[in-house]
Amino acid sequence: MTTNEIELEKRVVRVSSRTKLKQWGLDIKAFLFLLPFLILYILFTIFPMIKGLQMSLYDWTLIKKMDFVGLGNYVTMLHDAGFWRGLWNSTLFVILSTPTMLVFALLLAVIANQKTRLRKLFRSVFFLPSVLSVSVVSYVGLFIVQPYTGFLNNLLKLLGILSADQEIFWLTEAPLAWIAITGITLWWTVGLNMILYLSAMQEIPDDIYEAGRLDGATDYQMFFRITLPLLGPITKTILMLQIIASYKVFLQIYIITRGGPGTDTRPIIQYIYEEGIKNNHMGYAATMSYALFAILLVVSLIQMKLNSNKGAA
Amino acid sequence: MKKVFTTMMGASMVLSLLAGCSSGGSTSGGASTEPAKEQAAATADSGSGKSDGKKIELTYWTLFAGGDGEYMDQIISNFNKSQDEILIKNVKLEWAEYYTKLVTGVSGGKGPDIGISHTSKLPELIKAGVVTPLDDTAKAAGLKWEDYNSNILSSATVDGKHYAVPIDTHPFIMYYNKKHLQTAGLLDGNGKPILEPGADGFVKFLTTLKEKLPKDVTPFAFSNNADDPYRLWWALYSQQGGNDVISDDGKSPAIDMDKAMKAANYIKDLYYTSKVIKPQDPDFYKTFQSGKGAIMMTGVWATGTWETTKDLDFGAMAIPNIFGNTKTWGDSHTIILPVTAKEDPKKREAALKFAMYATEQGGQIWAKAGHIPADSKVFESDGYKALKYRSDYKAVASDVVFPKVSDKTWPKNDILKKYLDEIWLNKTATDVVFKKIDSELKTLLAK
């Protein structure tokens, strides 16, 4: 190696170490900026998750009186009618709400995507309820469906569908209560799905429609042959998000029916809340939370699997 | 330079965030910041505030809203004015969150010096280690237990030890609209309802109201679910001498099935056979308040509200004798001294002095809300007797059938209410409902 070469080597080393150092500096800076989030994430997401798993193995009360029970809570859960009832109620809500949410979101997106002057109005009107808090939504819903003074029954009377001294008790008959809850939730949350659909629709290139029009396709055909298939990926995303969101239903039901009549509309999250906070069985509540977590995980995995299979085919 | 700046920025951001977290974390399970602030003030002063003539500051957590809350405020401010050794700071918490916050607050060492508990909730708090016996402190503070109504006091006594100073009892009673009863010819010269005792007598009373009154007036303003029908059921079950729904050792259900079903069916018939209750009234308080109900039943706390309602000429009385007596549902507010991180005997003594004041001098004010005072001196006082309406139902204090002392009372009530609702809504047969209740209670009590 000539001295020149050695010199060069040294310089390369120096340069690369300098770039490395520079890189490190950048990394540290980036890390520092990420640190606040990371700390919060660990503190409020990772740590509670691990703590929850630990709690599910203990007879844990609100004031941390702990007895290790191993898998005892899990065994109790499997024999607990309340758990199964709650799980079924939540599943029922998923079954009722998910297709409704998809269809209505698509419908509204189509309306909001029309090239009319009302387009902006439609978009804001449909999305507006999403801004409201759950308590506002629930009370508005309650004022609509409650007997005697509720808007809905009075409207039905006005239209002559109900006679003057007839009342429909929306909140105390299980099927009706579910319709009321689903309707209120739909009105509240459909806007978000609509926005997702809307943005996906706008990404469909115009020339496809142009080509379709040249080939003489009707609007109807263009919607079912072009729009709908191209919305496939977003539909899958919305489906997954909606299933997870629907499984987590709690507050609107809690405010509107309190889970009643009896336990007919009590979702699993409410049961978890009641066991944990009201009845002081935090350990058992954690166990059921993990069961729900496992179910959602499986649902998501199945769906991802299905999606990837379809993608390959 | 730039680097230093960014590093410092980052560090300060982290620090401020961390500070944010820790103060957020300390407010006992996401409690509002109010108790934390009060707490900070209290602890900051407690170091210097005991011996050198300064005031002893005590934090007092309450759950009273609306009318009740105002009367309690009045009691506290009167107490603070009445002497200059003790200062009570009232922290009003949301009813629905109160007990959760109390338990988590105390377990985190951030609880109050004085708290409120329902007697029905007391055993649960004792089991959770939130409250301790008061007997020693009571002796030091000169509190005499015999001053209190023995029925109420016994509900606040667990294993022979006193855990709480009772303020009141709030039983389930009946209100009636004098105008409507008059119209139906069911009001006597003294303004009292003409009502034959017994199961048929009450139904006859209601059906007469139904026949004689305009169609838009419901004979019995009542709800179809949750608390109030449950309370009526408890009253009717107790009138028959029904055993508490749990066994003496608290380990298993012990429902007197025949009596329980008889009481439940009696109420069900009011809805569906004699049809004297407006079905599924979303707001029966409003129905009665607006003069659209002839009678209604609820806790005595409504008296204060009816009194201030314009044009409502009403009367109050014990619920009717349906199964041989006028036993009824009731609960009671008590003052407790939650466990604190540093047990300070002086503070505890000061707290009991306040408790004595609140029940004696304050009792008169508290009675205005409608509650029946637990302090016998107040109960017997002319001032209390002079209060309108209250004297009509004061005797009910001894008729209250408190639930058996158990740390499962509240979850037990939740189960009862949930399933009884199915009877009131005519969804499930009564015997099936009680089978369900029995099996769920078994699971609950075995835990």
Side-chain angles (χ1 to χ4, degrees):
Chain A
M1 221 185 258
T2 63
T3 40
N4 261 355
E5 275 176 326
I6 291 171
E7 220 22 61
L8 194 70
E9 187 86 338
K10 272 185 185 164
R11 226 153 77 201
V12 169
V13 169
R14 217 182 296 138
V15 167
S16 74
S17 74
R18 202 191 289 153
T19 47
K20 246 187 198 160
L21 212 66
K22 215 173 166 186
Q23 189 59 46
W24 261 106
L26 276 174
D27 284 351
I28 287 172
K29 258 189 220 166
F31 182 70
L32 274 177
F33 275 105
L34 285 175
L35 198 60
F37 171 74
L38 196 67
I39 289 170
L40 292 178
Y41 185 68
I42 290 172
L43 207 62
F44 291 110
T45 306
I46 305 290
F47 175 69
M49 275 173 76
I50 296 168
K51 197 78 184 169
L53 195 61
Q54 185 202 355
M55 281 165 86
S56 74
L57 303 174
Y58 286 80
D59 193 357
W60 195 300
T61 69
L62 270 175
I63 57 163
K64 293 177 212 153
K65 262 191 202 159
M66 297 174 284
D67 290 312
F68 185 74
V69 291
L71 294 175
N73 283 333
Y74 289 87
V75 176
T76 312
M77 180 180 79
L78 294 177
H79 295 98
D80 181 358
F83 169 75
W84 292 111
R85 185 71 217 249
L87 200 60
W88 163 244
N89 285 340
S90 293
T91 311
L92 185 68
F93 182 71
V94 171
I95 295 168
L96 285 171
S97 69
T98 311
T100 334
M101 294 280 186
L102 276 175
V103 172
F104 273 89
L106 183 63
L107 223 74
L108 296 183
V110 170
I111 296 171
N113 202 29
Q114 296 301 312
K115 291 188 173 76
T116 66
R117 250 187 262 160
L118 293 174
R119 175 182 188 158
K120 269 194 181 143
L121 178 80
F122 283 140
R123 285 181 192 184
S124 28
V125 165
F126 297 151
F127 187 69
L128 216 55
S130 315
V131 185
L132 300 173
S133 79
V134 61
S135 39
V136 173
V137 168
S138 307
Y139 281 109
V140 170
L142 211 51
F143 289 134
I144 291 175
V145 296
Q146 74 185 7
Y148 302 105
T149 47
F151 170 78
L152 189 57
N153 277 0
N154 284 321
L155 184 75
L156 292 176
K157 281 176 198 170
L158 204 69
L159 297 174
I161 297 170
L162 282 183
S163 65
D165 53 358
Q166 231 179 340
E167 289 292 333
I168 298 181
F169 299 113
W170 289 98
L171 297 175
T172 41
E173 305 281 333
L176 290 179
W178 279 117
I179 292 171
I181 291 165
T182 309
I184 292 161
T185 312
L186 176 79
W187 171 70
W188 179 35
T189 58
V190 76
L192 195 72
N193 291 349
M194 178 201 75
I195 294 285
L196 290 173
Y197 264 131
L198 202 59
S199 56
M201 272 182 196
Q202 279 158 359
E203 282 192 5
I204 301 173
D206 277 342
D207 42 0
I208 302 185
Y209 289 108
E210 249 165 62
R213 208 165 293 129
L214 284 178
D215 287 340
T218 60
D219 280 353
Y220 179 82
Q221 280 171 327
M222 284 209 279
F223 178 74
F224 281 98
R225 298 282 167 81
I226 300 174
T227 315
L228 212 52
L230 285 174
L231 289 176
I234 192 74
T235 304
K236 283 171 196 155
T237 311
I238 294 175
L239 186 68
M240 181 131 94
L241 292 175
Q242 191 55 54
I243 288 176
I244 293 172
S246 290
Y247 258 117
K248 294 199 291 193
V249 68
F250 168 40
L251 274 172
Q252 63 266 46
I253 295 186
Y254 193 66
I255 297 173
I256 295 169
T257 68
R258 295 258 148 193
T263 52
D264 283 358
T265 59
R266 181 172 70 178
I268 184 67
I269 303 273
Q270 186 184 338
Y271 189 54
I272 291 173
Y273 159 77
E274 284 176 356
E275 276 296 314
I277 307 291
K278 280 174 84 181
N279 298 347
N280 213 358
H281 296 134
M282 293 296 271
Y284 186 47
T287 306
M288 290 193 286
S289 309
Y290 262 87
L292 184 64
F293 172 68
I295 291 166
L296 290 180
L297 195 70
V298 170
V299 169
S300 311
L301 285 177
I302 290 173
Q303 206 165 11
M304 274 159 73
K305 186 88 184 159
L306 286 177
N307 283 357
S308 65
N309 278 354
K310 264 186 203 155
Chain B
M1 193 60 213
K2 213 172 168 187
K3 208 180 243 172
V4 175
F5 178 71
T6 41
T7 321
M8 276 175 64
M9 269 267 290
S12 66
M13 267 170 67
V14 171
L15 273 176
S16 64
L17 277 164
L18 278 177
C21 299
S22 69
S23 74
S26 69
T27 50
S28 60
S32 70
T33 51
E34 207 180 355
K37 257 189 252 159
E38 297 280 359
Q39 192 61 38
T43 38
D45 286 335
S46 66
S48 60
K50 287 175 291 192
S51 48
D52 49 4
K54 278 191 185 169
K55 286 187 177 182
I56 304 177
E57 286 203 355
L58 299 172
T59 349
Y60 179 25
W61 284 11
T62 57
L63 44 67
F64 303 114
D68 292 18
E70 283 162 35
Y71 293 115
M72 189 44 85
D73 283 344
Q74 215 176 316
I75 294 171
I76 294 166
S77 82
N78 286 358
F79 176 75
N80 285 340
K81 274 183 227 148
S82 74
Q83 41 74 48
D84 49 6
E85 283 162 19
I86 306 163
L87 184 73
I88 305 288
K89 288 190 159 183
N90 185 11
V91 180
K92 282 188 196 175
L93 294 172
E94 195 64 43
W95 201 139
E97 298 160 2
Y98 173 79
Y99 285 108
T100 310
K101 284 185 177 169
L102 183 69
V103 172
T104 50
V106 169
S107 71
K110 309 264 179 202
D113 300 302
I114 312 174
I116 290 286
S117 171
H118 288 89
T119 44
S120 57
K121 186 78 177 176
L122 197 57
E124 205 177 319
L125 296 180
I126 295 169
K127 197 190 175 204
V130 172
V131 286
T132 48
L134 298 177
D135 293 280
D136 294 342
T137 320
K139 213 175 264 174
L143 184 142
K144 293 191 201 74
W145 295 111
E146 56 274 19
D147 283 351
Y148 298 93
N149 173 302
S150 58
N151 190 30
I152 305 171
L153 189 65
S154 68
S155 74
T157 311
V158 179
D159 293 335
K161 288 181 198 139
H162 297 101
Y163 283 86
V165 183
I167 313 175
D168 65 31
T169 182
H170 39 273
F172 185 71
I173 61 163
M174 182 171 126
Y175 294 98
Y176 53 94
N177 184 315
K178 286 187 178 165
K179 197 187 87 196
H180 290 318
L181 264 59
Q182 183 92 56
T183 313
L186 292 172
L187 202 67
D188 69 11
N190 300 321
K192 302 266 187 279
I194 301 167
L195 176 58
E196 287 166 38
D200 297 332
F202 185 54
V203 172
K204 208 176 111 196
F205 174 77
L206 289 170
T207 41
T208 311
L209 284 171
K210 193 181 172 185
E211 283 158 18
K212 300 269 172 73
L213 293 176
K215 231 188 146 193
D216 64 335
V217 175
T218 173
F220 186 3
F222 208 46
S223 78
N224 258 82
N225 58 357
D227 289 319
D228 290 287
Y230 159 71
R231 289 168 184 150
L232 180 57
W233 173 80
W234 177 265
L236 298 186
Y237 178 64
S238 303
Q239 286 192 358
Q240 300 171 70
N243 177 34
D244 198 318
V245 297
I246 57 176
S247 64
D248 283 335
D249 63 358
K251 295 271 196 301
S252 55
I255 309 174
D256 239 325
M257 280 299 177
D258 292 341
K259 290 169 184 162
M261 279 168 49
K262 192 174 166 191
N265 285 330
Y266 184 78
I267 299 168
K268 186 181 174 180
D269 285 346
L270 296 180
Y271 296 114
Y272 299 101
T273 311
S274 45
K275 293 186 182 163
V276 288
I277 297 169
K278 179 176 170 182
Q280 297 187 32
D281 192 340
D283 193 347
F284 73 101
Y285 270 58
K286 207 166 135 196
T287 306
F288 184 75
Q289 193 173 17
S290 61
K292 294 288 180 202
I295 70 157
M296 72 97 72
M297 290 184 189
T298 193
V300 293
W301 51 80
T303 304
T305 314
W306 302 157
E307 240 174 354
T308 48
T309 303
K310 238 182 126 188
D311 299 330
L312 184 67
D313 189 12
F314 74 100
M317 60 182 276
I319 66 160
N321 167 349
I322 288 169
F323 294 124
N325 52 58
T326 50
K327 294 252 184 293
T328 190
W329 174 94
D331 206 334
S332 155
H333 292 121
T334 65
I335 291 180
I336 50 167
L337 305 191
V339 175
T340 50
K342 273 191 286 176
E343 285 298 346
D344 182 343
K346 272 193 181 149
K347 272 192 157 186
R348 282 172 68 87
E349 218 182 297
L352 273 200
K353 279 188 182 143
F354 167 72
M356 282 156 68
Y357 180 92
T359 48
E360 271 183 52
Q361 274 87 344
Q364 202 72 44
I365 298 171
W366 195 235
K368 285 185 193 157
H371 307 295
I372 301 175
D375 189 306
S376 312
K377 291 194 290 297
V378 185
F379 188 77
E380 300 299 345
S381 71
D382 294 334
Y384 178 67
K385 280 177 195 156
L387 283 174
K388 220 177 156 189
Y389 309 111
R390 281 85 181 164
S391 50
D392 295 329
Y393 59 73
K394 61 178 264 195
V396 179
S398 310
D399 266 346
V400 172
V401 180
F402 289 100
K404 204 157 279 178
V405 171
S406 158
D407 57 310
K408 302 263 173 40
T409 298
W410 281 35
K412 176 201 80 185
N413 290 351
D414 282 344
I415 292 174
L416 281 166
K417 281 182 240 172
K418 202 153 277 168
Y419 288 112
L420 287 172
D421 279 358
E422 298 190 4
I423 302 178
W424 317 146
L425 295 168
N426 208 8
K427 275 185 48 155
T428 315
T430 312
D431 55 333
V432 178
V433 164
F434 278 100
K435 263 177 214 146
K436 281 196 203 172
I437 291 176
D438 193 59
S439 96
E440 246 189 69
L441 284 182
K442 234 173 232 156
T443 324
L444 171 80
L445 297 169
K447 271 179 201 161

